[in-house]
Amino acid sequence: MKAPGPGLFQFIRGVKQRGFLEFAGKQWREHGDVFKVDIGRRTLMFVMHPDAVERVNLSHRQNYDKRASYDSVRKYLIGDGLVTSSGELWRRQRKLMAPFFTPKGIQTYADLMIRDTARLVERWQGLAAAGTEVEIAEEMTFITASIILKAMFSTETMESIHQMKDAVGTMISFTDTKMTGVHLPLWVPTSRNRKYLAARELVNRSITSLIAQRRATDEANWPDDLLSRLMKARDEETGQPMSESLLRDESITAFFAGHETTARTMTFTWYALAANPKVTERLHEEIDRVLGDRPLAAEDLRQLPYALQVVKEVLRLYPAAPFYVRDAVAGDKIGGFDVPAGAAVMLSPYYTHRHPQFWDDPEAFDPDRWTREREKARHDHAYHPFAAGPRVCIGNNFSLLESHVLLVMLAQRFTPRLRPGYVPQWIMEGTLGLGNGLPMTIAAR
Ligand code: HEM
C-alpha cells in the first residue's frame, strides 16, 4: 500500500509558509505515523512510530544506510568522518573511537568539565553584577566548544574558540540551505558563498595546525586524547596510518558533532527552566540540599538525579536533532506502507517524543517522566534523541555528563531570566534552533 502524503507543490508551499518542523507536524496529524512526499524521482518518507524507529535502526538496519541524503553534509560540512561514513570505513573508525566514549571512558573528562564551567561561573558573576542581557545560545556554544577542544585535542585558546564558534555557525546554516534551497555554485563569488568558504578555510586551517603541532612533538609526550588515538592508529592489514584527509575529517566531525548539539540542549534547558518555575524550584532544592555552597565534585553527580531528569526531558521536548535520515537500500514495508528502494526515510525524535500513544500530555515539560520506574514502563524506542542501534550517537554519555555538570554548577549560583514578553520561535536549521535567539539576564541566586 502506498503511503499518503502531500503533493510536491503543497509540500513546498507548506514548508515556505510554516517552516519544515511545523509543516511536518501538521502532516503527521493529518496522515498518521507514515506519510511521504515525492520529490522528482526521490521519495521522502516520514516515520514517527517507535516500532519504525526500532525497525530502521536495529532489526532491519541492513536495509538503511547513509547514502545520498548525507551528500551535502559530506561535501559542505564534515567530509567522510564518523557521522557520514558507512560500510567498512565506518566500522573500522567506530571501533577505533568507541573506547573513548564508554561510560567509564568519559568519566575522565568530568574534572575538565567542572574546571571549565567554574570559569563560566566567574564570567556569569560579572554578568549578574552588571545586569546586562546576554544571548544564552552564545554562552552555551562557547563553553561546549571550549570543553570539546580540550577533551578531544587537549588545546584551547580563547580567540580561536570565538572564531571557530562563528565559523561553525556559518557552515551549518550554509549546509542547511544547500539541502533545502537552490543556490549558485561555490565558485560564484556571492557574499553567502564567500562567507562559507572563509569559514571552511578557518576551520580547516585550525584543525590542520592542531595536527601539525601534535606531529611536531615527540610521540612519547602526546596526551592521551582522541587526536593522539586517531594519529597513532594503523591499518590492521597494511600497517598504514590514517590518510591526512580522513584524519582531518574525523577531527572536524568530533569538533562539530561534539559541541553544537550539546550547546543547543543547554540553551533549551535555560528556556525550559525559565518557563517552568516549579521545576526550577525543585532543581534548586536538590542542588542546595546536596551541595549547599560548596563546589561540585564529580562524585556528587550521582546524588543529583533530578538535574539529569531535567536534561532528559529537554532532550525529549526539544531534541537538538529533531530529524535524522536513512536511505533505503532496497524496498521495505513500514507500518503496512511501501518504502521504495532509494527512499530517504526521515526519523523524528521531535515527533516520536510527542506521540500521544506513548506520552501523557506530551507538550508538558515534566522531568518526573524520567524516574526509573516510568522509564522502564515505556516502549524502548519512544525516545531516541541520540538515534539508536549500532549508529547511536557515540557522544551520548559525554553529552549527558557535560549537560549535567553545566546545569548543576550554573543553577547552583544563577537563575537566568527571560526577556519579558519573550515567545520562542522553534525552527529547524539542520538542528533544532530558536529563530529569535534566547536573550536572558543572569540573576545571581
Ligand atoms: C545533546 C547532544 C547530542 C545529540 C542530541 C546528538 C545526537 C546525535 C544523533 C541523532 C546522531 C545520529 C545522526 C545520524 O544518524 O545522522 C548522532 C551521531 C553522532 N554523534 Fe551525537 N549528539 C549529541 C552529542 C554528541 C557529542 C558530545 C559527540 C562527540 C563528543 C557526538 C558525536 C557523534 C558522532 C561521532 C555521531 C556518529 C556516530 C556513528 O554514526 O557512528 N554527539 N548524534
Side-chain angles (χ1 to χ4, degrees):
M1 192 174 27
K2 279 197 172 150
L8 181 58
F9 183 62
Q10 192 191 351
F11 175 75
I12 293 171
R13 201 184 44 196
V15 170
K16 216 171 180 163
Q17 280 172 354
R18 293 167 173 263
F20 184 88
L21 192 63
E22 205 189 310
F23 185 69
K26 182 172 176 285
Q27 297 304 306
W28 178 40
R29 284 187 294 278
E30 223 166 90
H31 300 294
D33 283 339
V34 181
F35 58 90
K36 72 169 172 90
V37 190
D38 291 319
I39 303 173
R41 280 192 300 180
R42 283 197 86 203
T43 299
L44 196 58
M45 289 204 80
F46 294 78
V47 298
M48 309 304 202
H49 196 281
D51 289 347
V53 175
E54 191 280 334
R55 185 176 182 89
V56 172
N57 283 311
L58 282 122
S59 55
H60 289 65
R61 65 176 184 275
Q62 308 300 0
N63 193 46
Y64 294 95
D65 203 355
K66 294 188 176 184
R67 294 191 177 179
S69 295
Y70 284 80
D71 283 351
S72 295
V73 182
R74 270 186 208 106
K75 184 165 171 197
Y76 298 112
L77 208 55
I78 47 181
D80 287 321
L82 198 61
V83 171
T84 45
S85 58
S86 64
E88 197 39 50
L89 173 62
W90 170 77
R91 241 183 307 281
R92 201 180 64 213
Q93 298 294 92
R94 176 104 190 184
K95 199 169 145 204
L96 181 66
M97 288 184 235
F100 260 88
F101 292 100
T102 58
K104 199 159 160 244
I106 53 119
Q107 283 309 320
T108 53
Y109 297 118
D111 289 340
L112 176 163
M113 291 170 182
I114 290 173
R115 271 201 310 277
D116 234 26
T117 308
R119 283 168 48 192
L120 186 62
V121 167
E122 270 174 38
R123 175 180 152 77
W124 277 25
Q125 270 156 355
L127 290 174
T132 39
E133 194 176 78
V134 287
E135 177 45 61
I136 286 286
E138 296 223 338
E139 296 291 309
M140 294 299 106
T141 308
F142 182 79
I143 181 72
T144 57
S146 166
I147 288 174
I148 201 74
L149 281 178
K150 288 199 184 103
M152 303 292 141
F153 307 105
S154 310
T155 183
E156 172 213 34
T157 60
M158 280 297 179
E159 193 193 27
S160 77
I161 288 187
H162 276 298
Q163 286 179 337
M164 290 277 268
K165 179 173 76 52
D166 294 344
V168 169
T170 303
M171 287 173 73
I172 289 176
S173 71
F174 180 90
T175 305
D176 184 49
T177 48
K178 273 282 175 200
M179 288 162 90
T180 50
V182 178
H183 294 287
L184 293 170
L186 271 178
W187 51 265
V188 182
T190 62
S191 79
R192 250 183 101 257
N193 283 353
R194 279 206 311 262
K195 221 172 139 205
Y196 162 76
L197 287 171
R200 190 170 79 175
E201 169 63 19
L202 181 105
V203 171
N204 271 339
R205 209 172 352 122
S206 309
I207 300 277
T208 307
S209 114
L210 276 177
I211 297 170
Q213 279 166 27
R214 183 73 47 99
R215 272 228 171 88
T217 60
D218 186 349
E219 191 172 319
N221 298 327
W222 286 2
D224 183 20
D225 60 9
L226 186 72
L227 182 60
S228 296
R229 194 172 177 95
L230 294 171
M231 288 174 66
K232 282 180 187 168
R234 293 291 176 271
D235 189 283
E236 276 174 17
E237 279 163 30
T238 64
Q240 288 298 307
M242 206 173 286
S243 75
E244 204 58 30
S245 71
L246 185 57
L247 183 58
R248 208 175 46 229
D249 287 352
E250 291 297 8
S251 302
I252 291 178
T253 296
F255 177 66
F256 272 41
H259 82 284
E260 176 74 17
T261 40
T262 309
R264 286 179 189 242
T265 303
M266 283 311 301
T267 302
F268 306 153
T269 302
W270 298 117
Y271 166 73
L273 288 173
N276 296 277
K278 288 216 163 72
V279 174
T280 306
E281 230 171 80
R282 271 187 63 190
L283 175 69
H284 285 164
E285 185 281 318
E286 179 179 85
I287 297 171
D288 295 349
R289 179 167 39 79
V290 175
L291 295 181
D293 211 28
R294 76 178 164 80
L296 174 77
E299 308 77 69
D300 294 319
L301 289 169
R302 251 175 289 129
Q303 311 302 322
L304 294 155
Y306 190 70
L308 190 59
Q309 286 175 224
V310 169
V311 173
K312 288 183 176 173
E313 181 66 350
V314 169
L315 282 162
R316 180 188 73 84
L317 212 46
Y318 311 118
F323 290 89
Y324 57 93
V325 53
R326 295 288 180 270
D327 298 298
V329 176
D332 192 17
K333 269 195 193 305
I334 293 186
F337 294 104
D338 300 332
V339 178
V345 176
M346 303 285 288
L347 295 135
S348 175
Y350 190 88
Y351 286 113
T352 312
H353 295 176
R354 283 168 165 74
H355 202 302
Q357 256 173 281
F358 302 94
W359 304 94
D360 299 333
D361 197 4
E363 292 294 335
F365 184 80
D366 176 13
D368 283 329
R369 299 178 200 273
W370 298 102
T371 57
R372 202 178 292 237
E373 305 73 54
R374 288 180 70 184
E375 236 186 292
K376 250 194 187 153
R378 204 169 288 133
H379 189 304
D380 281 349
H381 297 281
Y383 185 66
H384 57 128
F386 296 108
R391 293 209 73 149
V392 69
C393 172
I394 202 170
N396 62 356
N397 294 312
F398 184 95
S399 166
L400 287 173
L401 175 66
E402 182 179 2
S403 303
H404 201 179
V405 167
L406 277 165
L407 177 57
V408 168
M409 288 183 70
L410 293 170
Q412 184 185 21
R413 308 262 172 232
F414 309 100
T415 312
R417 296 201 197 288
L418 289 173
R419 180 192 284 174
Y422 173 86
V423 178
Q425 282 170 19
W426 297 101
I427 53 164
M428 191 180 120
E429 38 179 23
T431 43
L432 187 65
L434 285 164
N436 52 342
L438 186 58
M440 293 184 113
T441 43
I442 311 290
R445 286 186 56 212

